[in-house]
């Protein structure tokens, strides 16, 4: 099984957009896939179809499975620890790590994705960040960045801290932002500074084909 952690250099950059495209492309090849987002905030229980868990479930071909994809769901669009506190809950890193490990141990698929919440250094609990969860799991990282002005600094900073924790970058995907600098120029700039991991692009078009990403990750 190929298991990856999908992380972002920031919030709302397109992690789920990339994950869903990757899952769909893998399924189109006949590969078995699974996805897990251990915690999600900003979840509206009255409109679950608009949520990240629902999008991932649809990409899996099991639209009814959104609750299984994200077992810890909170309403407030805040950092998970703050959103949980508003509902009388306390998130603990040991619990999140256990959730992910238990989930991984019961998967029998060719590609499994665990998607974080927010950016690499976004708080997950009162004492730990997304990076702490990533380090505890030790999975190769699929790092998603934006194409906005300033993304080079954010991406290079994220690469430094992720690698400092001993994690491997499997690939980098630059998810296109609207009203951003030319995407090809941004890719060229980033490739000049990062030459270890492959850098691919993810246009915002709904019909984006992630075949090249599948090839890169499963090579």
């Amino acid at each position: 099984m190929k298991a990856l952690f999908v992380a972002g250099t920031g919030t709302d950059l397109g992690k789920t957009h990339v994950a869903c495209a990757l899952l769909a492309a893998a399924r189109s090849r006949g590969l078995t896939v699974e996805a897990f987002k251990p915690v999600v905030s900003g979840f509206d229980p009255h409109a679950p179809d608009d949520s990240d868990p629902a999008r991932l479930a649809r990409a899996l071909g099991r639209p009814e499975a959104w609750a299984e994809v994200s077992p810890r769901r909170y309403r407030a669009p805040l950092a998970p620890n703050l959103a949980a506190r508003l509902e009388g809950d306390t998130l603990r890193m040991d619990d999140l790590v256990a959730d992910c490990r238990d989930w991984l141990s019961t998967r029998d698929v060719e590609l499994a994705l665990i998607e974080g919440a927010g950016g690499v250094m976004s708080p997950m609990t009162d004492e730990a960040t997304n990076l702490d969860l990533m380090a505890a799991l030790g999975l190769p990282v699929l790092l998603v960045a934006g194409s906005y002005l300033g993304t080079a600094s954010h991406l290079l900073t994220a690469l430094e801290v992720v690698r400092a924790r001993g994690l491997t970058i499997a690939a980098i995907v630059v998810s296109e932002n609207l009203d951003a600098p030319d995407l090809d120029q941004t890719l060229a700039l980033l490739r000049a500074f990062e030459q270890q991991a492959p850098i691919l692009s993810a246009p915002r078009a709904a019909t984006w084909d992630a075949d090249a990403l599948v090839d890169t990750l499963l090579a």
Side-chain angles (χ1 to χ4, degrees), residues 175-186:
S175 180
E176 184 180 24
N177 296 97
L178 300 178
D179 301 322
D182 180 79
L183 182 57
D184 288 336
Q185 279 188 334
T186 299

Side-chain angles (χ1 to χ4, degrees), residues 7-29:
T9 61
T11 302
D12 291 332
L13 294 179
K15 292 190 305 296
T16 303
H17 172 63
V18 170
C20 288
L22 176 56
L23 293 167
R27 285 182 61 221
S28 71
R29 297 188 182 193

